[in-house]
């Protein structure tokens, strides 16, 4: 049995690792870095001696916290563990702060402990490892649903390359929890299939990891999705006259065990919430405030349109990701929309569950009146969903999109339904562009004027359509081209295995295009060129020109790396973020 599992799953894990290595070739092979202190332009402790390429200021997802707090804490925690002690207290912040009582320090999360014990240069690879594991466990979850290998692989790719993973990759407290969500969902699905003691233990360990991973608000929404899916599975079993009570009992036992195992964090954390000062104190009711701007909807499906070099304030504004928590892309949107036009088959209930789950979270984030009341419920009023619920809806859309493809490949559908889905997507792109133009010509300009008034004498850029015209035209052309390729594969291609493979390749290429790289505005249109090569390669695959297909994919990979490495701005050169500052030597010399 173990050999069978190794033969079945290890190649998939390695394939995800290979894909990440290709998409992040700059980091894996060319000594570029993802460390937040190297991205943050105000200069973080220890980086003044770093030279080489620097990123354009287009990637600033709460980097101040990651650069000034999370990254140094990793070093402190590693030093404490190496000394043979348990990291309970950090003496280097203020007059001292608790480590064990704070979620964000992640001191009891096994993956983080291993990372903290390793040298700083390996941390980039731990960041990429989170993406690989997120995709792999999403794949396992979809396999447990009975989906084919290519379709399950697509779901894993959708999630590991979603904005919740790639845009927040430097914010480890965020990505830690996002990585454990599909693991817990897979264990819950496994328990519903085989409700026994082994499944109970696995689920309890997975839920414990969700709670220990590093962010209570993401953990809350992840637990909410787990609870809703557990209830859904119970109803499914009840309709099939299966052991509903047994599954429910084992699930509740897993929850109790998980809370007990994570008590070493939960108990001091709850005490700390009530007896310490925080920028997020208990009772502040952060849930009902600061909803996402409706103009940001464009970034969910066309994320590159808002990745513009920007002035850095102390808080994250550029890219609007702080109010979205991620993106899914055009291919996922197309498949989700198309799924509603497929005749009902056995998987349609699962498709509806994940589609509705993702849509409900987004409606809440945008303060839609039918669901906005949820923000006033207990615990919901403490958790700010626009950012922290991001992994829940991106995971839900990844699952819904892959299940939709499975329904297309298994069921009967008409070309008319494919064209209808395409028309809706193209119309949606047009509406999103209109909203985005309002964003650029309104919100951005007003924001910059506020910043200029507050920080006198600092010149900041203001973008209008003429500034971004070349990049917008190429990127929108790529989006329309992607929709056309999807219509061709789903509506006109007969070999269903090639359809699945082609959609996997197209989806990965699209999400690769959206990975933030820190390029300046003049170089960003060139990023689109390899994508068109990939689309052409997929078309060649569909007409059985395999040699040309492989050559085209190789050319696209080489071209993307060449463009990135030639760019004057981009992912920064890897550099020791813990170099001793000159003033430290001076102070030590004074005794």
């Amino acid at each position: 049995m173990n050999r069978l599992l190794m033969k079945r799953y290890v190649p998939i894990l390695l394939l995800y690792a290979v894909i990440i290595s290709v998409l992040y070739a700059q980091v894996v092979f060319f000594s570029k870095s993802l460390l937040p202190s190297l991205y943050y332009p105000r200069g973080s402790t220890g980086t003044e001696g770093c030279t080489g390429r620097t990123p354009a200021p287009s990637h600033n997802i709460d980097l101040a916290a990651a650069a000034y707090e999370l990254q140094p804490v990793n070093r402190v925690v590693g030093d404490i563990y190496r000394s043979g002690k348990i990291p309970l207290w950090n003496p280097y912040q203020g007059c001292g702060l608790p480590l064990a009582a704070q979620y964000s320090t992640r001191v009891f999360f096994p993956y983080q402990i291993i990372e903290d014990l390793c040298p700083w240069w390996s941390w980039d690879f731990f960041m990429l490892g989170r993406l690989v594991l997120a995709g792999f466990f999403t794949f396992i979850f979809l396999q447990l649903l009975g989906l084919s290998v290519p379709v399950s692989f697509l779901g894993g790719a959708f999630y590991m390359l979603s904005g919740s993973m790639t845009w927040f990759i430097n914010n480890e407290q965020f990505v830690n929890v996002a990585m454990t969500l599909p693991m817990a969902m897979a264990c819950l699905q496994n328990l519903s299939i085989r409700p026994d003691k082994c499944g109970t233990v696995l689920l309890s360990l997975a839920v414990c990891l969700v709670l220990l991973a590093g962010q209570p608000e993401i953990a809350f929404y992840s637990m909410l999705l787990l609870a809703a899916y557990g209830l859904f599975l119970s109803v499914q079993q009840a309709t099939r006259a299966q052991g509903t009570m047994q599954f429910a009992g084992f699930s509740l036992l897993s929850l109790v065990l998980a809370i007990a195992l994570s008590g070493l964090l939960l108990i001091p954390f709850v005490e700390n919430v009530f007896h310490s000062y925080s920028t997020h104190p208990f009772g502040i009711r952060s849930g009902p405030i600061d909803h996402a701007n409706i103009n940001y909807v464009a970034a969910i499906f066309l994320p590159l349109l808002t990745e513009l070099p920007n002035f850095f304030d102390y808080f994250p504004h550029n890219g609007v990701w702080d109010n979205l928590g991620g993106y899914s892309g055009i291919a996922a949107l197309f498949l989700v929309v198309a799924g509603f036009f497929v005749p009902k088959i056995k998987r349609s209930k699962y498709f509806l569950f994940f589609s509705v789950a993702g849509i409900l979270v987004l409606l809440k984030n945008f303060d839609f009146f039918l669901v906005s009341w949820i923000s006033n419920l207990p615990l919901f009023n403490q958790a700010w969903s626009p950012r922290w619920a991001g992994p829940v809806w991106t995971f839900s859309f990844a699952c819904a999109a892959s299940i939709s493809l499975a329904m297309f490949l298994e069921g009967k559908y008409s070309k008319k339904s494919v064209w209808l889905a395409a028309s809706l997507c193209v119309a949606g792109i047009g509406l999103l562009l209109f909203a985005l133009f309002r964003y650029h010509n309104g919100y951005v300009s007003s924001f910059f004027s506020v910043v200029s008034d507050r920080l006198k004498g600092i010149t900041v850029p203001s973008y209008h359509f003429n500034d971004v015209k070349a990049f917008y035209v190429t990127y929108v052309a790529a989006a329309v081209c992607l929709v056309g390729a999807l219509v061709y594969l789903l509506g006109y291609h007969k070999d269903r295995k090639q359809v699945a493979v082609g959609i996997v390749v197209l989806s990965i290429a699209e999400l690769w295009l959206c990975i933030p790289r820190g390029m300046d505005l003049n170089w960003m249109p060139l990023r689109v060129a390899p994508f068109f090569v990939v689309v052409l390669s997929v078309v060649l695959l569909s007409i059985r020109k395999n040699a040309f297909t492989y050559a085209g994919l190789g050319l696209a990979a080489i071209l993307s790396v060449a463009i990135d490495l030639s760019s004057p701005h981009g992912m920064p050169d890897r550099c020791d973020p813990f170099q001793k500052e000159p003033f430290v030597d001076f102070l030590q010399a004074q005794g």
Side-chain angles (χ1 to χ4, degrees):
M1 182 65 180
N2 290 334
R3 288 184 179 180
L4 180 62
L5 291 176
M6 291 285 288
K7 185 178 180 180
R8 184 176 184 180
Y9 290 124
V10 170
I12 297 298
L13 179 63
L14 293 177
L15 184 54
Y16 279 128
V18 168
I19 290 173
I20 290 296
S21 297
V22 172
L23 301 189
Y24 283 90
Q26 312 93 309
V27 177
V28 177
F29 303 110
F30 297 100
S31 299
K32 303 305 178 186
S33 182
L34 298 165
L35 294 180
S37 58
L38 302 178
Y39 273 89
Y40 197 65
R42 292 186 182 274
S44 301
T45 302
T47 59
E48 279 72 7
C50 294
T51 58
R53 188 172 73 167
T54 57
S58 59
H59 179 75
N60 61 336
I61 302 300
D62 211 1
L63 280 181
Y68 285 106
E69 179 192 8
L70 302 182
Q71 183 176 288
V73 164
N74 289 355
R75 179 66 172 266
V76 171
V77 171
D79 290 343
I80 294 174
Y81 271 120
R82 275 189 290 269
S83 69
K85 299 178 182 178
I86 300 175
L88 302 176
W89 188 258
N90 182 1
Y92 303 108
Q93 286 184 289
C95 296
L97 286 173
L99 284 172
Q102 294 192 62
Y103 253 91
S104 62
T105 56
R106 301 143 285 134
V107 294
F108 299 125
F109 187 59
Y111 189 92
Q112 191 70 51
I113 293 172
I114 297 172
E115 177 182 344
D116 294 348
L117 289 170
C118 290
W120 65 268
W121 55 263
S122 68
W123 292 359
D124 286 320
F125 301 96
F126 279 95
M127 292 182 188
L128 296 179
R130 290 183 176 90
L131 274 60
V132 173
L133 292 176
F136 178 65
F137 282 108
T138 304
F139 169 85
I140 291 179
F141 170 69
L142 295 172
Q143 281 279 279
L144 292 171
L145 287 183
L147 273 62
S148 67
V149 171
V151 174
S152 300
F153 192 87
L154 175 65
F158 272 138
Y159 186 55
M160 79 174 184
L161 297 175
S162 70
S164 296
M165 305 300 298
T166 57
W167 263 91
F168 288 87
I169 193 170
N170 322 77
N171 197 322
E172 293 178 322
Q173 61 171 326
F174 188 106
V175 188
N176 274 352
V177 191
M179 171 182 66
T180 58
L181 173 60
M183 184 189 308
M185 291 290 287
C187 290
L188 181 60
Q189 182 67 34
N190 176 67
L191 185 63
S192 72
I193 298 171
R194 290 180 292 273
D196 55 19
K197 294 179 181 178
C198 180
T200 302
V201 172
L202 287 176
L203 179 58
S204 63
L205 291 175
V207 174
C208 177
L209 290 177
V210 172
L211 297 175
L212 294 178
Q215 219 296 324
E217 291 166 278
I218 306 180
F220 168 70
Y221 277 99
S222 298
M223 294 296 291
L224 189 66
L225 180 64
L226 283 165
Y229 190 63
L231 181 61
F232 170 79
L233 291 176
S234 297
V235 172
Q236 290 290 100
Q237 291 190 348
T239 58
R240 295 194 298 263
Q242 294 182 354
T244 304
M245 294 304 297
Q246 189 181 25
F247 167 66
F250 279 126
S251 299
L252 290 175
L253 178 59
S254 297
L255 178 61
V256 173
L257 290 174
I259 293 175
L261 289 171
S262 55
L264 73 170
L265 170 64
L266 296 180
I267 293 173
F269 170 74
V270 172
E271 183 179 10
N272 193 46
V273 166
F274 287 100
H275 295 92
S276 66
Y277 172 78
S278 169
T279 55
H280 301 280
F282 185 79
I284 196 175
R285 293 177 56 80
S286 57
I289 63 175
D290 291 336
H291 300 288
N293 189 316
I294 191 63
N295 293 329
Y296 298 172
V297 176
I300 295 175
F301 307 110
L302 299 166
L304 264 187
L305 293 182
T306 56
E307 187 191 336
L308 300 173
N310 230 334
F311 174 76
F312 273 84
D313 196 10
Y314 285 101
F315 296 98
H317 291 282
N318 184 56
V320 305
W321 306 118
D322 198 45
N323 289 85
L324 291 178
Y327 57 75
S328 286
I330 292 288
L333 169 67
F334 182 95
L335 290 173
V336 171
V337 171
F340 286 99
F341 300 103
V342 178
K344 288 186 178 180
I345 59 176
K346 63 179 181 179
R347 304 191 196 282
S348 57
K349 293 180 181 179
Y350 292 89
F351 168 76
L352 287 174
F353 173 85
F354 286 108
S355 298
V356 171
I359 291 170
L360 282 177
V361 174
L362 285 177
L363 290 177
K364 180 188 179 301
N365 291 350
F366 288 100
D367 199 27
F368 186 63
F369 70 97
L370 291 179
V371 295
S372 60
W373 58 272
I374 295 176
S375 299
N376 295 306
L377 296 176
L379 294 182
F380 284 92
N381 58 10
Q382 295 297 129
W384 187 56
S385 67
R387 182 205 284 190
W388 302 118
V392 171
W393 72 259
T394 53
F395 175 78
S396 297
F397 278 0
C399 293
S402 55
I403 295 171
S404 171
L405 179 59
M407 294 192 301
F408 260 88
L409 298 178
E410 296 170 2
K412 294 181 179 180
Y413 59 91
S414 63
K415 295 178 183 178
K416 189 179 296 184
S417 63
V418 175
W419 276 106
L420 182 57
S423 301
L424 291 173
C425 286
V426 171
I429 290 173
L431 291 174
L432 295 175
L433 288 174
F434 174 75
L436 202 62
F437 292 152
R438 288 182 56 198
Y439 168 80
H440 280 302
N441 291 309
Y443 175 78
V444 170
S445 300
S446 63
F447 163 69
F448 282 138
S449 66
V450 171
V451 173
S452 297
D453 291 340
R454 192 168 64 208
L455 304 175
K456 299 293 185 182
I458 296 179
T459 303
V460 295
S462 180
Y463 295 106
H464 295 278
F465 181 70
N466 288 335
D467 302 307
V468 297
K469 181 166 55 178
F471 172 57
Y472 269 36
V473 169
T474 55
Y475 182 44
V476 172
V480 174
C481 184
L482 174 63
V483 173
L486 291 172
V487 169
Y488 168 69
L489 288 174
L490 284 174
Y492 296 91
H493 197 56
K494 303 301 181 183
D495 189 330
R496 298 197 172 191
K497 184 177 180 180
Q498 284 194 351
V499 168
V501 173
I503 291 177
V504 169
V505 173
L506 285 174
S507 301
I508 291 175
E510 182 207 358
L511 294 173
W512 160 83
L513 183 61
C514 301
I515 291 174
R517 292 177 176 81
M519 290 183 176
D520 58 43
L521 196 57
N522 294 328
W523 278 79
M524 288 181 69
L526 296 178
R527 286 170 59 172
V528 183
F531 175 80
F532 288 110
V533 177
V534 172
V535 174
L536 178 60
S537 301
V538 171
V539 174
L540 291 174
L541 175 66
S542 68
I543 58 176
R544 302 189 182 280
K545 300 290 184 180
N546 293 352
F548 290 101
T549 297
Y550 300 142
L553 294 178
L555 174 63
I558 294 171
L559 187 61
S560 67
V561 174
I563 291 172
D564 186 277
L565 294 179
S566 302
S567 174
H569 293 282
M571 290 183 178
D573 291 326
R574 189 172 294 140
C575 176
D576 185 358
F578 300 109
Q579 300 177 53
K580 188 184 294 184
E581 301 286 354
F583 71 83
V584 175
D585 289 326
F586 172 78
L587 291 176
Q588 289 177 341
Q590 308 306 311

